[in-house]
Each structure stands twice: as C-alpha cells, then as structure tokens.
C-alpha cells in the first residue's frame, strides 16, 4: 500500500484515490468510520477562506494577492497560487495529509474555520456525492 492509500483493500471497500470509479457513494455517518482520505486531496482555497482560517486579515485581503501567496508559500502553508483564478492550493504534510488534519483523531483542527472546498465536500469535488472512503485502521 502506498502512503496515499492507493489500492487499499478492506472488507468494506477497495479504492484507488485517483480512480473515481472506486469511490463510495456518500451517506450520512460515513465520515465517522473513515480514515479522512478526502483530507489527503489537494485543497483549493480563496482569499475569503484564508481570512476565515485567520491566515490573512481583512485589510491584507484587499491588497496584493501575489504578496499574500509569497508570504504563505514561505511559511509553507500554500503550495501554489494561480493568479488568473485567484486560487491558492494548501500545502500538505509529507504523508499527503492536510496541514490541519490531526494525525491521531483524523479530524479537522480548524473545522469551524475550514475552507469552502471542505465545507462542500462531497457535494462538489472530483466525483460529486462520492468519497474516497477508507475505513479507520
């Protein structure tokens, strides 16, 4: 098994995070038994998300987004900034986990401030209403 859970087998599911046909249909309560596999996917955020996450203040958000990107890249909080779309991509840990995922509980440490991408998952995403579910070990 690779560090991202590719080709992970269990009694419940077999999935490949990059093969959308192996994802499970989302149902209420699925997250309670999941290893938070969705939290290993790249997360795109807007400046509004960064404000909510308290990484950028309201005043700075009205300024130069490239300067914000440079500061957050230096701090290793974002990996990328697309100036054409004004979309930032959050950095991930070496094991591909989101920076804000608690490694023990597999829960979001900024849940109430989480980005819109996370708030809307799985309704939007690579395969709407499906998850790259992997049971907790």
């Amino acid at each position: 098994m690779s560090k991202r859970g590719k080709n992970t087998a269990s009694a419940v599911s077999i999935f490949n995070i990059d093969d959308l046909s192996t994802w499970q249909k989302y149902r209420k309560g699925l997250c309670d038994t999941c290893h938070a596999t969705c939290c290993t996917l790249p997360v795109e955020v807007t400046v509004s998300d960064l404000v909510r996450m308290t990484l950028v203040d309201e005043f700075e958000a009205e300024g130069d987004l490239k300067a914000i990107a440079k500061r957050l890249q230096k701090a290793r909080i974002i990996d990328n900034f697309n100036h054409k779309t004004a979309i930032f991509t959050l950095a991930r840990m070496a094991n591909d986990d989101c920076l804000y995922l608690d490694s023990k509980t597999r829960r979001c440490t900024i849940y109430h401030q989480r980005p819109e991408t996370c708030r809307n998952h799985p309704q939007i995403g690579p395969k709407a209403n499906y998850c790259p579910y992997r049971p907790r070990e």
Side-chain angles (χ1 to χ4, degrees):
M1 177 174 80
S2 80
K3 67 181 179 181
R4 287 192 58 202
K6 291 182 182 181
N7 300 323
T8 300
S10 80
V12 177
S13 69
I14 298 174
F15 85 94
N16 176 322
I17 201 163
D18 298 318
D19 180 356
L20 300 182
S21 70
T22 64
W23 289 28
Q24 282 197 23
K25 177 90 172 143
Y26 176 77
R27 66 183 184 283
K28 187 175 181 175
L30 192 64
C31 299
D32 295 335
T33 60
C34 188
H35 189 70
T37 312
C38 59
C39 298
T40 66
L41 298 170
V43 177
E44 293 181 337
V45 299
T46 63
V47 72
S48 298
D49 291 317
L50 297 174
V51 170
R52 183 182 320 103
M53 296 165 68
T54 69
L55 296 170
V56 173
D57 65 34
E58 299 270 345
F59 179 75
E60 185 183 19
E62 294 175 9
D64 182 16
L65 295 183
K66 287 182 185 180
I68 293 171
K70 186 176 180 178
R71 177 177 66 78
L72 294 177
Q73 281 177 319
K74 186 175 181 179
R76 296 186 176 159
I77 294 171
I78 67 162
D79 275 337
N80 189 40
F81 173 64
N82 183 323
H83 68 278
K84 290 181 183 178
T85 61
I87 298 291
F88 302 81
T89 305
L90 292 179
R92 293 182 282 173
M93 292 187 257
N95 66 355
D96 284 334
D97 281 354
C98 174
L99 292 175
Y100 301 100
L101 182 68
D102 183 285
S103 62
K104 289 186 170 74
T105 65
R106 304 300 293 170
R107 295 292 191 178
C108 181
T109 60
I110 60 163
Y111 186 79
H112 296 292
Q113 294 83 30
R114 71 194 183 282
E116 285 298 317
T117 299
C118 303
R119 290 171 185 266
N120 293 321
H121 183 78
Q123 292 82 16
I124 61 165
K127 186 172 184 179
N129 298 309
Y130 283 78
C131 293
Y133 176 81
R134 185 177 88 179
R136 288 189 188 173
E137 298 163 353

